């Protein structure tokens, strides 16, 4: 049975955070002395940690110092979806001084990527990935617990999407617009990367229209495991989300990446997960496998009536046009100093625009037909 470590914390100043992370790292049967260890946090965009979009610096620094104590050479990196240099995003997040003080080395995932093939994968057998994947001895996956308007939920497994350099990510949204196939793509990616340990920052999580436009939510949890599927499944349980209705988790389980059934997972720390469960957490409606199959077959024009669409809040838009740049199908257009305009026939509902908007000016709006028939969104 896979082990999942979970504890409740009062906040990022809780003195028990460092011992918890140390215990999780000590549980891994790996000699870190003189080894290259990569920390892969969530660095989606350069927003202050108070917004709860990215992995909190306290978690990153604690992991780095513990690994340095063990004699490891520690590296850190990510490749945000923003059309900005990763080093600039790290500076915007306030990580630059901490990286220097802890003796870490920053790695730019967008430089000199490599092609990696795994013939056993179900859907995507070859990925272009950050070269560092093959240059380190151990990967410590430091994710953030958030809801996600396209993927339903994002955590340990989804965090590995950052190994795909820069805006190459948008091409996967173009190729796999339905969440079932997108989930299988992420599962195939995870089977290549396979981090040695994953630690999730859920002390202040994000609910609602995540991964960047949701609301910070005090959850108070740190969760860790060598099994990413088990970790994400326990995290989903704690927020009231069925992991079987999260395409990435379900497809990863089907691909043999880990365990999804809570009865087959050993929870260490807080023995009764029911005491950690937050039933008020605002979720994105999950979808069954039957719904995956139905929506995958819908004609693109029919989807206009059933799948929620992204909408711009004109008063919040600063006309930076980041949304236009990241749209994989060029379904947005804008003249200089104008609010972008959608072509909803072209729009594939990947919500890259929503995810990467630095001003939280884009939200997901249910279509009239969806509200009439179901009373809520059945879209991603």
């Amino acid at each position: 049975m896979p082990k999942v470590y979970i504890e409740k914390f009062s906040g990022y100043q809780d003195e028990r955070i460092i011992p918890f992370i140390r215990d999780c790292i000590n549980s891994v049967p790996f000699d870190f002395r003189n080894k290259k260890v990569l920390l892969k946090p969530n660095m989606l965009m350069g927003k202050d940690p108070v917004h709860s979009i990215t992995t909190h610096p306290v978690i990153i620094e604690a992991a780095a110092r513990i690994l340095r104590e063990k004699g490891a050479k520690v590296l850190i990196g990510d490749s945000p979806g923003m059309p900005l240099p990763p080093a600039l995003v790290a500076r915007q997040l306030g990580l630059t001084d901490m990286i220097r003080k802890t003796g870490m080395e920053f790695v730019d995932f967008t430089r000199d990527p490599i092609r990696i093939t795994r013939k056993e994968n179900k859907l995507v057998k070859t990925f272009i990935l950050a070269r560092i994947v093959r240059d380190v001895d151990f990967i410590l996956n430091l994710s953030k617990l958030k809801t996600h308007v396209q993927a339903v939920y994002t955590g340990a497994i989804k965090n590995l999407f950052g190994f795909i350099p820069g805006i190459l990510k948008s091409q996967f949204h173009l190729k796999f617009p339905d969440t079932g196939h997108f989930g299988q793509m992420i599962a195939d990616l995870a089977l290549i990367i396979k981090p040695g340990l994953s630690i999730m920052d859920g002390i202040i999580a994000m609910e609602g229209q995540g991964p960047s436009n949701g609301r910070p939510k005090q959850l108070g949890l740190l969760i860790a495991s060598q099994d990413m599927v088990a970790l994400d499944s326990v995290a989903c349980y704690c927020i009231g989300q069925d992991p079987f209705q999260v395409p990435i988790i379900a497809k990863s389980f089907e691909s043999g990446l880990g365990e999804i059934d809570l009865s087959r997972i050993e929870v260490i720390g807080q023995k009764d997960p029911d005491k950690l469960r937050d039933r008020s957490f605002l979720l994105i409606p999950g979808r069954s496998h039957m719904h995956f199959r139905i929506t995958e077959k819908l004609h693109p024009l029919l989807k206009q009536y059933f799948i929620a669409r992204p909408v711009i809040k004109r008063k919040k838009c600063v006309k930076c046009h980041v949304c236009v740049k990241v749209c994989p199908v060029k379904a947005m257009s804008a003249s200089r100093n104008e609010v972008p305009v959608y072509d909803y026939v072209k729009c594939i509902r990947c919500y890259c625009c929503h995810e990467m908007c630095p001003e939280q000016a884009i939200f997901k709006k249910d279509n009239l037909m969806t509200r009439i028939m179901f009373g809520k969104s059945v879209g991603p």
Side-chain angles (χ1 to χ4, degrees):
M1 294 177 68
K3 294 179 172 62
V4 174
Y5 300 81
I6 185 168
E7 280 293 349
K8 188 86 171 179
F9 297 89
S10 60
Y12 291 106
Q13 305 307 315
D14 196 316
E15 295 178 351
R16 297 175 299 124
I17 289 176
I18 293 177
F20 175 83
I21 293 176
R22 180 177 283 110
D23 288 345
C24 294
I25 292 175
N26 287 341
S27 72
V28 180
F30 185 83
D31 185 357
F32 291 96
R33 288 176 297 179
N34 301 316
K35 298 296 194 303
K36 287 185 178 181
V37 179
L38 175 68
L39 302 187
K40 166 57 180 78
N42 182 318
M43 291 170 50
L44 178 63
M45 61 174 59
K47 286 285 189 178
D48 189 286
V50 71
H51 296 289
S52 197
I53 296 171
T54 55
T55 308
H56 199 279
V58 165
I59 309 302
I60 300 171
E61 182 171 357
R65 292 192 182 280
I66 292 166
L67 289 166
R68 292 272 291 174
E69 290 172 4
K70 291 180 170 294
K73 176 179 173 57
V74 184
L75 304 92
I76 182 173
D78 192 11
S79 177
M82 298 282 287
L84 295 174
L88 175 59
V89 175
R91 186 158 64 249
Q92 292 172 338
L93 287 169
L95 299 179
T96 305
D97 287 344
M98 183 264 286
I99 290 172
R100 176 178 53 80
K101 289 177 182 178
T102 53
M104 286 190 285
E105 176 185 334
F106 185 79
V107 181
D108 187 336
F109 281 15
T110 65
R111 293 182 180 176
D112 197 22
I114 59 174
R115 189 180 298 270
I116 299 179
T117 298
R118 184 178 184 272
K119 295 180 180 179
E120 298 82 5
N121 281 357
K122 291 184 178 181
L123 185 63
V124 181
K125 301 183 185 299
T126 300
F127 289 90
I128 296 175
L129 301 175
R131 179 171 292 275
I132 196 65
V133 170
R134 286 290 184 255
D135 291 344
V136 294
D137 303 297
F138 190 94
I139 295 174
L140 176 50
N141 182 22
L142 299 174
S143 61
K144 187 75 172 180
L145 195 165
K146 300 184 287 184
T147 47
H148 195 293
V149 294
Q150 191 257 350
V152 180
Y153 155 95
T154 177
I157 307 170
K158 177 65 165 57
N159 195 44
L160 302 183
F161 197 40
F163 279 98
I164 296 174
I167 60 173
L168 283 179
K169 298 179 188 66
S170 65
Q171 297 305 310
F172 286 92
H173 287 286
L174 172 61
K175 191 171 183 179
F176 306 116
D178 65 86
T179 55
H181 287 158
F182 189 84
Q184 183 61 60
M185 179 274 295
I186 295 291
D188 289 341
L189 173 65
L191 285 165
I192 289 176
I193 297 174
K194 283 191 172 179
L197 176 67
S198 295
I199 300 175
M200 176 181 290
D201 173 10
I203 292 180
I204 299 181
M206 177 177 281
E207 65 177 358
Q209 294 203 5
S212 60
N213 291 323
R215 299 186 305 214
K217 174 76 169 181
Q218 179 73 33
L219 198 60
L221 299 179
L222 283 181
I223 315 173
S225 182
Q226 296 174 53
D227 183 328
M228 292 181 293
V229 180
L231 191 164
D232 278 338
S233 297
V234 170
C236 281
Y237 180 83
C238 289
I239 63 173
Q241 175 69 64
D242 180 358
F244 283 99
Q245 292 195 10
V246 178
I248 289 173
I249 303 176
K251 295 294 185 180
S252 295
F253 168 66
E254 292 170 5
S255 297
L257 192 63
E259 183 56 66
I260 196 172
D261 186 344
L262 291 175
S263 68
R264 299 176 180 272
I265 298 171
E266 182 181 356
V267 178
I268 298 174
Q270 289 283 349
K271 298 295 185 183
D272 186 0
D274 274 331
K275 294 182 179 179
L276 303 174
R277 198 168 195 186
D278 187 335
R279 290 176 171 81
S280 69
F281 208 89
L282 183 59
L283 302 173
I284 302 295
R287 298 180 298 163
S288 66
H289 288 292
M290 177 62 72
H291 187 79
F292 295 161
R293 289 194 290 269
I294 292 172
T295 56
E296 285 170 13
K297 300 298 184 183
L298 284 177
H299 187 279
L301 288 176
L302 190 57
K303 286 186 179 182
Q304 308 304 315
Y305 298 100
F306 288 95
I307 308 300
R309 62 177 60 187
V311 175
I312 297 175
K313 299 176 184 177
R314 298 181 67 86
K315 290 183 179 180
K316 295 189 71 173
C317 178
V318 298
K319 307 175 184 66
C320 66
H321 297 170
V322 166
C323 54
V324 178
K325 295 174 184 175
V326 301
C327 179
V329 292
K330 308 303 178 187
M332 304 182 74
S333 60
S335 302
R336 191 183 185 93
N337 296 324
E338 293 292 335
V339 175
V341 176
Y342 283 97
D343 180 339
Y344 287 114
V345 175
K346 284 186 180 180
C347 176
I348 60 174
R349 308 307 199 265
C350 67
Y351 308 108
C352 288
C353 55
H354 170 279
E355 180 173 343
M356 301 315 304
C357 176
E359 302 300 324
Q360 298 183 328
I362 300 176
F363 69 104
K364 190 183 81 167
K365 182 178 181 180
D366 293 346
N367 289 332
L368 178 62
M369 184 67 73
T370 299
R371 293 197 297 271
I372 292 173
M373 294 182 65
F374 301 99
K376 63 180 181 178
S377 172
V378 295

